[in-house]
Amino acid sequence: MSLHEILFIVFSTVVLLFSLMTVLSRRILRSATYLLLVLVATAGIYLWLQYEFMAAVQVALYAGGIVVIIVFSILLTHHIHHRSKPFPPVRVITGLGVAGLGAALTIWAILQHDFHYHEAEPLEVNAKVIGQHLVNTGDGGYALPFEVISVLLLAVLVGAIVVAKKDKANEQTSENK
Amino acid sequence: MISFDYTLLIPVLPLLMFLTLGIGGHRLKPLMAGLLGSAAMGVVTVLSYLTAIQYFFVGGGMGADGYVALIPFQFTWLAFTDTLRITLGVMLDPISVMMLVVISTVSLMVHIYSLGYMKGEKGFQRFYAFLSLFSFSMLGLVLATNIFQMYIFWELVGVSSFLLIGFYYRKPSAIAASKKAFIVTRFADFGFLLGILILSYYTGTFDFGILTQPETSPVASMAGVSFMGLSVVSWAMVLVFMGGAGKSAMFPLHIWLPDAMEGPTPVSALIHAATMVVAGVYLVARLFVVYHFWAADIQEVIAWVGAFTSLFAAVIAITQHDIKRVLAFSTLSQIGYMMLALGVSGYGGAEGTGYMAAMFHLFTHAMFKALLFLGAGSVIHAVHSNLMTEMGGLRKYMPVTHITFLIACLTISGVPFLSGFFSKDEILVAAFEHSKVLFAIEFLVAGLTAFYMFRLYFNVFWGQERHYHHTPHESPWVMTVPLMVLAFASVFSGYLPFTHLVSPDRLPFEVHLHWGIAIPSVLIGLAGIGLAWVLYKRPSRVPDRMAAAMGGFYTTVYHKFYIDEVYLFVTRRVLFNLVSRPISWFDRHVVDAFMNALANVTNGVSDRIKGLQSGQLQMYAATFAAGVIGLVLLALYYLGSA
Amino acid sequence: MNILHFLIIIPVLTLAGVLTSRSLKGVRWVSAVGMFAQLLVAIAVMVTYMGLRKGGDSAEMVLMESHTWFASLNIHYTIGVDGISSAMILLTAIVMFAGVFASWELEYLQKEFFVSLILLVTGVYGFFISLDLFTMFLYYELAVIPMYLLIGIWGTGPKEYSAMKLTLMLMGGSALLIVALFGIFYGAADGVHTFNLLELGQHPMPVEMQRFIFPFAFLGFGVLGALFPFHTWSPDGHASAPTAVSMLHAGVLMKLGGFGIFRVAMYLMPQAAQEQAWIFIILTSISVVYGAFGAIWQKDLKFINAYSSVSHCGLVIFGLLMMNRTAMDGAILQMISHGLMTALFFALIGMIYSRTHTRQIHEMGGLMQVIPFLAVVYMIAGFASLGLPGLSGFAAEMTIFVGAFQHGDLFHRVATIMAISAIVVTAVYILRVVGILLLGPVKNDHFLHLKDATWYERLSTLTLVVAVAGVGLYPQWLYRLIYDSLGPVAEKLLAAL
Amino acid sequence: MRHELMLAVSVVVLLVVEIFSSAKHKTNVVLPLSIALMGLSMLVGGMYPEAGTLFGGIYRTDALRTAVKLVLDAGALLVFFQVYGWIRRPENSDKVSEFFILVFSTLIGMHYMVSAGDFMMMYLGLELASIPLSALAAFDRYKRVSAEAGIKYILSSAMSTAFLLFGLSFIYITAGTLHFDALQAAFRPDVLTILGLVFFMAGMAFKISLVPFHLWTADVYEGAPVAVTAYFSVVSKGAAVFVLTWVLYHVFGAAVEQWRIILVTLAVMTMTVGNLFALRQQNMKRFLAFSSIAQAGFILLGMLGQGALGMASVVFYLLVYVFTNIAAFSVVAAISNATGKENIDDYRGLYATNPRLTLVLMVALFSLAGIPPVAGFFGKLFLFNAAASQGYYWLIFVAVVNATISLYYYLRPVRAMFIDKNEHPIAFFKSDAYMRMGLLLCMAGIFATGFISWFFEYLFAVS
Amino acid sequence: MLHTIPLHYFLIVGTLMFFIGVAGFIIRRNLITILMSVELMLNAVNINFLAVNRYLYPHHLEGHFFTLFIVAIAAAEASIAIALIINIYRRFSTIDVDQVSDMKY
């Protein structure tokens, strides 16, 4: 077994194991930590696939961004030692059943498929190439999506403000309802 | 060639009168309306007599081969196909002309009589309107050129009868009687209509002229076809006869006639004695050729039905107390005679005696039965009751009524040289030639007839004098004159040369009085009269004792053999309770409930599945995922099978 | 301008007039004048039609006009009439004219009532003149909503229930029709996709397709024609509906069913019609007898009439299914006859109800003494219903029976005899009602002070009585009129044998 | 592209106005401005529609797409007309422009979705159209239900998007590209791609709220403010419908057998379940939510038609649906704004006091039920026509039976308003001018789009 | 070097991760955990895209860029979801999803 293979096995094991633990842990802060591990391990897989830029983005944006705000929100809404109630068995059965069935079906479909690997030399993926793509307005360019994302971010900003803005008049009365 | 164009007026005048009186009658003075109606009927009578004279005696109707059927007027009313068409028209042949005379005479008498009888009644104008309607319908019926025209007027006659029976529409019994009459005859007409349809399907025509040609009739072509062991001609003709039996109140469809006496008495005289009830006889006579040549089995049936009805009705008549009912059963009995005569008749020459006799009897019977009814009406008018038990000794108070009534009784009893004697004798002769059993029955009935008629006569005019609220007095002249006219006709109409006028093949023929039959029948008639004399001339307890001695039999007969009750059972219990009610229930609780159940099930399902929308996000997700999996499986299944 | 356009324009103008009227009087008179004008137009259509025929115009449809509407879907606004449609138009105009006067004294939301009523009748006219199935269906559906509101708002008794039931069942029927509509559109032979009836007639559908579509079309229209066992909307709906609506619905709308079966189902799918007729013959002959027996047991006047309608309308479809010219002619005569007399019945029932405030026959009695005019007219209607010669019912029924009897086989015979037997049962229930309701002693002293018909009630009923008697006294002209127009359908059916 | 740019400019203008305008009477400035901007966008974008691609094919436009965008814009515009009574309330005074900015942004997202030339653009448009919507759903944030609506929407939407992307990742395998044109050439149905296709369709079905992916709909519709619900039910759904139709026709044409059976299944389930739930609703918004689910089922019938016929029927129905559904919601909004009442029972006897509103609602409901002479009849019949052109007679039968059931519940409010007696009906109130204007436009649209064949003919010509 | 590990493996890992996310979404009742489950699902998608891109179509970057945008949008989505969750917490004083079901049926 080469180092490559070992690395893959390690990464994927971490990903799957901690995914499971994220979902199953009854302490929410631990869940968040496991999620962080999963995301980092995923970045590892990206590295394995030689997409360094993606791995960086993954670590920076996901692990660094999303997990952090998740943790913040947890802190806002929970006591540190909060332990959630045990999961209702019906729901566990449903969840595992549906997910298991779906996974089995998909894996079966994947195994059915005959992949034809492309033997060509992979494109070099570095920040420069990516930057060029992102501002390219022609074929294979992503200028427009980039702009769309910016509108989206603006909208999300406005939306978040709308939701989070503190009411002057009604806050007090309605909160006690 | 004599023009008969004016005959169109005969039915049209009463129709106009009906419309005039029906729409504008309530604005007229009652007497005015009555006079108007009577005047129109008078004109019709004149025209009818003119027709008869011209047809029979001036030679207008005589062709090379006996009397011919003339059609002075006709138009297509409704043409279903090129050959199947309902025409309305006027057909003159010996029997229709004869019927014209009968109808117009009796109708006119009734019109006049009613001026007195109905005086002061509410709805006097309406009464005359209905009378006109009836006259129109009846005239249209006898003048029919084709069987469908006959059916049309047949129905109209039924309705007029319904309206007139129910004239006293505030009286529940009158309403019930009118309903019964209509429905029973309607049931019979159902058969009639089927008969017509079968006949027309095979022959392709409704036309009497074509149907009743012995040589060329298309009925011959259907003779070979049979259904359930009976030829289709027989089927058709038995169904047609069913219609006739209904109108003529033959057993077992006779039940409406006694009840129909709820109508005003002049109406009973006109419709339920003289004219409408003989429509069945007329119908059979009309189609006699068909019956005789292609449905001889049915002709036999007719004979037996006639004979049985005449006996059956005569027996019942003996026990009844309501004078109109006695007369009604007597009518049944007499019509039975006529049917029997048609049933036993042959074709051609003296063979046709039965046919001739039926028509002859129809004629004379119309006169004397109308007379009897009008006389009874006169009595009722005086006494204000229908029951014999409340009458007696009236001869002193009402001489004219008494005499005319006596004449009528004698006539119906077959006392020699009155009209009834001649016509009844011919029927007995015909029956004798055909079957001894039938003859024996009719012979017996002749005696019974004399007995119950004189039972009636003695009870009313002799017997014990009752206590009357007002002293009975003779009716006004408008009522007695028609009595006298009819009495005259009853006495002398027997001398009409019927054998020269009416025969199945329309050729005149000769018969002579058959003394071997006439004498015994006269004797038995006299015997009946004698018995009645003994029992009823003076008040006596003997009849009651005899009745008691008979016990159950007497009760059964008194209750008309419980036939009414059987009908009641069939209609009320079976049709109403066992058919109509369950259908109604079924409709509401099964058919409709099914439709409602669809709605309820939908609502129920809606309620049951509300849990799916649990409001819980995770369940939504689970459903989502499950849905995706299901759809994947479905799509893959189709991919695999493709 | 094609005279047929006026059949739509005049109701629309009347509608506008009613909407702008400020007073109750205005609403009434605008409606009355409008519907009178419509009656005149209907007569003019009839006259024009007969004139054209006399002039030798032997086209299948006359007064035709076509405008493209949705070109890409081949939907056109095509109109035209033949003898049958012009007769039906005349029937509608008469019933509607009488209906306006029968609702003269409405007490509640008059303007809305007349608007709905006129909207309803516009749909009916449109249906009769349409030759394009799409527009035909559009007009047909147009009637649904006014109907719901008319019954729901101005009805009596369990009106919400009845209105809902009627609407839903009729919609269920049109559900079937939609399937048939598209089946016909896409099923026509030679790849022709059209809604035009005449064109469809020239490109008959393949038999397999016909077999599939015919039941949809037949049952779809059959629901409206109160075919057993889809008739149960009729008793409830008619019982709850206000007078004019019952008149129009039973008198005209139910005829749309028969008309549709004839004009669409049988005309376009003759082979399937021949093949499947037996099923529907069984259903209709049951309908005829069943309705009649059902009527015997009822106690509510409107229920009696509703069941009677089931019976009579069953006879319409029965006649059509006999598939020869005579019987079909009779069926259409029966539509007209039943339309007139049932409208008369409902008008009378409404008038009686407005006086006695009950429709239970056992609570009334002896009306002949207190309201003789209405009672006599009721009796005339009754006689028409039980098929008295001289009134319309007789000619129609006899024609159907004679036509039906042209089939010699046992099955048709039995069915026919069953259908004929209904005439006896009809007599029973009609006379029962007449006896209980009109004759006999007056049961309720309050009734002694009832007023007889007012002028508008007389006008309303007499219009119908005259029409009933007119058809009954000389049916031949109507028979001929219909007979000539039956040709195309009859020939197709014959060829399909 | 000018269409989208114009919308983006509108967002900027609104932002600027928000910054520089005083807090008082903001509504009276922002609302007419938004309406004007929307009208201008429609004018700029809709005039002289042209066909072409930009950015290497990931943005494409043609007359049909322009028409669809105009339909969506019209929906948004009509929603603007009905918000006055709600947005001017004191509790909303501090976020007036935000509402319009969010609507404009989502509209931009939908436009990109409609104009997308590959799945990435489509995905971005989809997200831009749905993420801000969750903020809109939670706009009445002082209300529990509104907050609940927002969170339910964002989470289930995220999940459905995950499914959609997961499906796309498998589709990506077959062609190595997500460009529509290239994919169409390369797409072959096999086990994995069909699996991907189904996942993708499920994601789209979520947006169109097809059963069984519809469960969020009722809760979100009920919880969100009325105007937002109207926007959800018409505009947001419309864009997804168009895109799904187009993608199925033009990208997955090779798998037509498979997606058809899925559509048939979804159609049957959607119509039936939607109807069954609608039967028992009391809240008008929830009622209309289930009604709109059922309507989506009918739209699927149109999708089953092929080519121009199917496409034109679907888009035409969307057009009709915009006018119809917004008319219904506007009336609900008017009543809700004036009285706070939203239950069907509250509407009893309304005809006596507010006849015009009830007439509008009645016409709208009949149009939804597909009763002539209003446009809904034509829309529905054309959908059936499209399905019939492919021989789906049984499906049409199921649909029309469902339409009959739907008539039952559409008649319930009608019955309440016209027939039921009520001692204390909602008192007469006067709607604001915007509302009346909006209702007038809706009515005009409901009648005109049906009777005037030009609308359908145009859509058919450009499809 | 790459092909020592077949593409299947990546896809299977992605798939398993995705459905673990699904299971988490269904089982967990904490809104934040549910959000985390969604992140897992998106992450799985990203693995798929990148692996396919690398193995089958290494000569262009569509999958790669798609992933990039997915990540960006996931971040936006997460932030607004968090805002909404906090809003819920303010209204309901809990983020237990079972409690957040005022509307049902």
Side-chain angles (χ1 to χ4, degrees), chain B residues 374-532:
Chain B
L374 293 184
S378 180
V379 170
I380 293 165
H381 194 64
V383 184
H384 301 292
S385 167
N386 282 8
L387 294 177
M388 270 190 240
T389 49
E390 294 176 14
M391 299 171 187
L394 284 172
R395 67 186 184 284
K396 297 178 270 198
Y397 305 107
M398 316 178 70
V400 181
T401 310
H402 171 226
I403 297 300
T404 48
F405 201 88
L406 176 61
I407 292 171
C409 287
L410 290 171
T411 313
I412 194 174
S413 305
V415 170
F417 313 115
L418 299 175
S419 61
F421 165 72
F422 296 105
S423 53
K424 195 185 279 184
D425 186 60
E426 302 294 357
I427 291 176
L428 288 174
V429 169
F432 185 79
E433 311 246 300
H434 186 79
S435 155
K436 302 295 175 285
V437 181
L438 289 173
F439 171 75
I441 294 171
E442 293 311 305
F443 186 71
L444 176 62
V445 172
L448 290 175
T449 307
F451 173 71
Y452 66 72
M453 282 318 298
F454 275 88
R455 166 176 174 267
L456 173 63
Y457 167 74
F458 286 123
N459 261 326
V460 173
F461 292 100
W462 300 76
Q464 187 176 15
E465 201 166 320
R466 309 284 164 169
H467 172 73
Y468 301 111
H469 292 294
H470 312 282
T471 315
H473 53 80
E474 185 55 272
S475 303
W477 66 268
V478 282
M479 288 168 68
T480 50
V481 168
L483 291 181
M484 290 186 270
V485 173
L486 287 170
F488 176 82
S490 301
V491 173
F492 295 106
S493 60
Y495 297 99
L496 286 171
F498 252 79
T499 51
H500 293 264
L501 307 180
V502 178
S503 67
D505 53 2
R506 301 206 186 111
L507 287 169
F509 66 101
E510 294 290 337
V511 287
H512 299 284
L513 223 48
H514 198 302
W515 288 106
I517 288 166
I519 292 172
S521 69
V522 169
L523 287 179
I524 194 167
L526 290 176
I529 296 170
L531 189 60

Side-chain angles (χ1 to χ4, degrees), chain D residues 139-195:
Chain D
F139 207 81
D140 279 347
R141 58 181 191 282
Y142 49 89
K143 281 188 185 163
R144 279 165 68 107
V145 283
S146 187
E148 187 181 329
I151 193 70
K152 275 184 172 168
Y153 182 68
I154 190 72
L155 287 180
S156 23
S157 162
M159 187 194 69
S160 83
T161 314
F163 269 92
L164 183 145
L165 291 171
F166 196 58
L168 285 181
S169 75
F170 290 123
I171 289 166
Y172 181 57
I173 291 172
T174 52
T177 176
L178 291 168
H179 272 84
F180 288 162
D181 293 337
L183 202 51
Q184 184 190 19
F187 190 80
R188 293 286 170 274
D190 62 37
V191 173
L192 199 57
T193 50
I194 291 300
L195 185 119

Side-chain angles (χ1 to χ4, degrees), chain E residues 25-70:
Chain E
F25 198 109
I26 296 172
I27 295 170
R28 300 304 300 250
R29 51 183 9 148
N30 186 310
L31 283 172
I32 295 175
T33 333
I34 290 174
L35 181 65
M36 294 196 288
S37 304
V38 171
E39 299 304 338
L40 283 181
M41 289 160 78
L42 290 173
N43 227 43
V45 171
N46 289 348
I47 293 179
N48 271 9
F49 266 113
L50 287 178
V52 171
N53 198 170
R54 171 59 73 205
Y55 272 75
L56 303 181
Y57 309 101
H59 49 285
H60 64 215
L61 289 173
E62 263 193 74
H64 179 261
F65 277 97
F66 207 151
T67 312
L68 195 59
F69 287 113
I70 291 174

